[in-house]
Amino acid sequence: MSSTSRRMFELVEPIGVLPYSADEPNEAMFALGFTNYWDTYFAGRAAPLGLVPAEVVDALFYNFAPGEVARHIPKVWRTTTPEAAIAARRMGCVKALRRILGDLVDSPAFARAAELLLKAATSAPYEGRPMYAALRAIPTPDDVVARLFHAASLLREHRGDGHIAALMIEGVGGLEAHVLFALDMGMPAENFGRIHHLPAAQIATVVAGVRDRGLIGDDGWLSEEGHAVRHRVEALTDRLAAKPYESLGSGELDELAAGLEPLATLLLAAQEW
């Protein structure tokens, strides 16, 4: 089943990342009064948690440097409310989907893909899945395009909860995970988008810690054990992400994949990183 969850991840992720890959979601959040991207990120993603302190968001998001979350949480709630942030993010993503996918959103195939994806996304247990559980507590929207985005968001947070569990099992911290990911892609850690803004000394300290564990070789790239850790984390993440798709029969899984493939192709081509 892990191969199924990996395949579905590839098809669902282009929908799930819309808040970060299209202009409309950011524009909708800026209309609430925000003036920088990271405020919109934390307000939009943390909104299902409600008015929780920075320590809770930091723990659940896992991969931000010390103090980064506290620069935004709870400050963002002086600008808007969690309810308004949820609505704005959803509205922006629906606009992006309609722009990118055009007439496809009005097709029976789209409606069926949204139905099947939502069936999978709402079938998994809550236990041990705090971000998934928070998003599950939000009422499912009526609009078919919003339902597709909501389902993809649920599956993204469900997978993310499992990914954090996999990292913790391997003893990989949040910043260390970025270093391993960057080096696995053949990119120097200090150039990686999620940490390149950190002070050079801070990145160097994280890299040194990973090297001391034997995960980085003398050449500065991942060692054999480093690659093995990355493989184990991804393999376990896939296994932990499989549960939602067990609610679908093999015919439904094939139908869902066929319905999502043209959507993923268009969304990937339109990404505005």
Side-chain angles (χ1 to χ4, degrees):
M1 197 65 183
S2 60
S3 61
T4 296
S5 63
R6 171 58 60 167
R7 174 60 175 148
M8 294 309 302
F9 167 69
E10 293 168 350
L11 294 173
V12 174
E13 182 72 352
I15 306 169
V17 298
L18 269 171
Y20 322 115
S21 65
D23 289 335
E24 291 90 341
N26 285 330
E27 291 167 356
M29 295 296 287
F30 284 137
L32 295 176
F34 292 114
T35 58
N36 73 81
Y37 168 79
W38 284 109
D39 277 348
T40 72
Y41 172 89
F42 282 101
R45 189 173 171 220
L49 299 169
L51 302 178
V52 298
E55 290 84 356
V56 173
V57 177
D58 196 17
L60 298 182
F61 285 14
Y62 193 71
N63 56 7
F64 285 91
E68 282 193 274
V69 174
R71 285 198 288 273
H72 305 275
I73 300 290
K75 181 192 74 172
V76 295
W77 305 131
R78 297 199 295 268
T79 299
T80 192
T81 64
E83 294 78 12
I86 290 167
R89 177 186 249 212
R90 178 182 292 167
M91 178 185 70
C93 288
V94 167
K95 287 181 66 175
L97 284 168
R98 289 189 175 278
R99 170 179 61 84
I100 296 166
L101 302 180
D103 293 342
L104 282 179
V105 302
D106 298 316
S107 68
F110 183 94
R112 179 60 172 163
E115 176 188 355
L116 290 172
L117 198 66
L118 189 63
K119 178 181 177 181
T122 56
S123 69
Y126 297 105
E127 291 85 356
R129 308 278 182 167
M131 290 301 300
Y132 172 69
L135 199 55
R136 275 282 297 273
I138 296 173
T140 301
D142 295 326
D143 175 74
V144 66
V145 183
R147 287 166 79 86
L148 183 86
F149 170 69
H150 182 61
S153 298
L154 282 167
L155 290 163
R156 191 169 200 266
E157 293 294 12
H158 179 276
R159 184 182 178 88
D161 286 335
H163 185 59
I164 291 172
L167 289 169
M168 293 183 71
I169 287 170
E170 289 290 338
V172 177
L175 296 184
E176 291 176 332
H178 292 317
V179 169
L180 293 178
F181 184 73
L183 295 178
D184 197 35
M185 291 194 304
M187 177 189 296
E190 61 269 19
N191 294 347
F192 185 55
R194 289 296 297 272
I195 57 175
H196 79 280
H197 64 287
L198 298 177
Q202 186 174 11
I203 297 175
T205 297
V206 177
V207 170
V210 178
R211 181 180 288 110
D212 289 345
R213 293 178 55 189
L215 305 185
I216 298 177
D218 293 338
D219 59 359
W221 300 102
L222 290 189
S223 64
E224 183 176 342
E225 178 57 17
H227 283 293
V229 167
R230 276 279 301 154
H231 175 77
R232 291 196 298 269
V233 166
E234 291 302 309
L236 181 54
T237 299
D238 285 341
R239 292 198 298 274
L240 293 174
K243 193 66 176 177
Y245 303 107
E246 293 176 4
S247 66
L248 303 179
S250 59
E252 289 179 320
L253 276 170
D254 291 340
E255 186 181 5
L256 177 57
L260 291 177
E261 281 172 356
L263 311 184
T265 298
L266 289 172
L267 290 167
L268 286 170
Q271 283 182 349
E272 301 163 359
W273 297 105

